[in-house]
């Protein structure tokens, strides 16, 4: 076989012989693949993923998860309970954790959506929607945290958060307007803003 391949490469064989040698080589290469396909290369049923994912794989949607929008909302609920009890230190801790979790998940969704640009617009759109939703909830947590800092007489910590909310939400949206009003009440801005139609 080696001498035939050498002759083939040197061009010493006639065309008919080249075709015969090539078909022999292709046949020799294909035999192991055909045999493998006949043996069945599918793994046993117990190692194959189920046709439908079990409910446990949707763990991110649970409030007990450490990541996801539900996790951030759960931390915000805990913060609200602490605020009701006037435990502003605990409320601030919960809201800081909520902001971080929501900011992280928003970034993850944004990054994933970028991967699907030009690949699958449906997946891209869904991920962008999740990024937007998590950013909205993050801004709510930021606003609540700023209000808690204000209650603790910490405008130095409240102002950056309020500015962040106005930038993210814009002054045309209710949360952006509320954040700007807080900035005005704190004396950080001198001109009040009244949204059109108010």
């Amino acid at each position: 076989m080696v001498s035939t391949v050498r002759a083939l490469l040197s061009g010493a064989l006639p065309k008919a012989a080249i075709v015969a040698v090539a078909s022999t080589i292709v046949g020799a290469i294909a035999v192991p693949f055909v045999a493998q396909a006949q043996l069945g290369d599918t793994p046993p049923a117990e190692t194959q993923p189920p046709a439908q994912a079990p409910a446990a794989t949707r763990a991110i949607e649970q409030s007990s998860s450490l990541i996801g929008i539900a996790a951030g909302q759960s931390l915000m609920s805990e913060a609200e309970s602490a605020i009701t009890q006037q435990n502003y230190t605990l409320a601030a801790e919960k809201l800081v954790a909520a902001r971080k979790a929501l900011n992280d998940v928003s970034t993850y969704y944004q990054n994933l959506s970028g991967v699907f640009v030009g690949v699958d617009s449906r997946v891209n759109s869904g991920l962008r929607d999740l990024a937007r939703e998590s950013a909205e909830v993050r801004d709510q947590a930021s606003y609540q945290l700023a209000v808690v800092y204000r209650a603790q007489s910490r405008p130095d910590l409240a102002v950056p958060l309020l500015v962040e909310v106005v930038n993210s939400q814009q002054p045309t949206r209710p949360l952006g307007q509320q954040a700007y009003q807080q900035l005005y009440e704190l004396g950080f801005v001198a001109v009040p803003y009244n949204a059109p139609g108010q």
Side-chain angles (χ1 to χ4, degrees):
M1 179 74 120
V2 173
S3 62
T4 307
V5 171
R6 282 189 188 143
L8 178 65
L9 293 174
S10 69
L13 292 177
K15 287 185 181 180
I18 292 172
V19 171
V21 170
S23 65
T24 304
I25 292 172
V26 169
I29 293 172
V31 169
F33 293 113
V34 171
Q36 184 179 9
Q38 289 172 348
L39 292 174
D41 57 347
T42 55
E46 64 272 1
T47 62
Q48 289 183 358
Q52 210 170 24
T57 61
R58 307 297 302 172
I60 297 297
E61 295 174 354
Q62 305 299 318
S63 61
S64 60
S65 170
L66 298 178
I67 189 169
I69 297 170
Q73 290 171 327
S74 176
L75 287 164
M76 289 171 66
S77 293
E78 292 175 30
E80 286 177 27
S81 296
I83 291 169
T84 303
Q85 298 168 3
Q86 295 185 346
N87 186 346
Y88 298 123
T89 303
L90 179 60
E93 289 173 14
K94 296 292 182 182
L95 289 168
V96 166
R99 281 186 75 245
K100 180 177 179 352
L102 291 161
N103 195 54
D104 288 350
V105 79
S106 177
T107 301
Y108 299 151
Y109 285 136
Q110 286 174 340
N111 290 342
L112 274 174
S113 75
V115 172
F116 285 94
V117 170
V119 175
D120 189 328
S121 61
R122 182 184 49 85
V123 173
N124 173 269
S125 178
L127 289 167
R128 279 194 336 255
D129 290 345
L130 287 169
R132 196 174 305 115
E133 179 185 350
S134 55
E136 174 78 29
V137 179
R138 178 209 56 216
D139 290 345
Q140 292 169 5
S142 297
Y143 179 79
Q144 288 179 357
L145 181 57
V147 171
V148 166
Y149 285 149
R150 207 177 152 191
Q152 292 178 317
S153 299
R154 297 294 314 266
D156 57 314
L157 298 176
V159 167
L161 293 170
L162 294 168
V163 170
E164 181 182 304
V165 172
V166 173
N167 280 329
S168 178
Q169 292 294 309
Q170 301 298 305
T172 55
R173 299 176 77 191
L175 191 58
Q177 292 168 12
Q178 293 170 358
Y180 187 85
Q181 180 62 33
Q182 291 282 332
L183 289 169
Y184 178 72
E185 290 173 8
L186 284 167
F188 185 74
V189 294
V191 180
Y193 173 72
N194 295 317
Q198 285 187 343

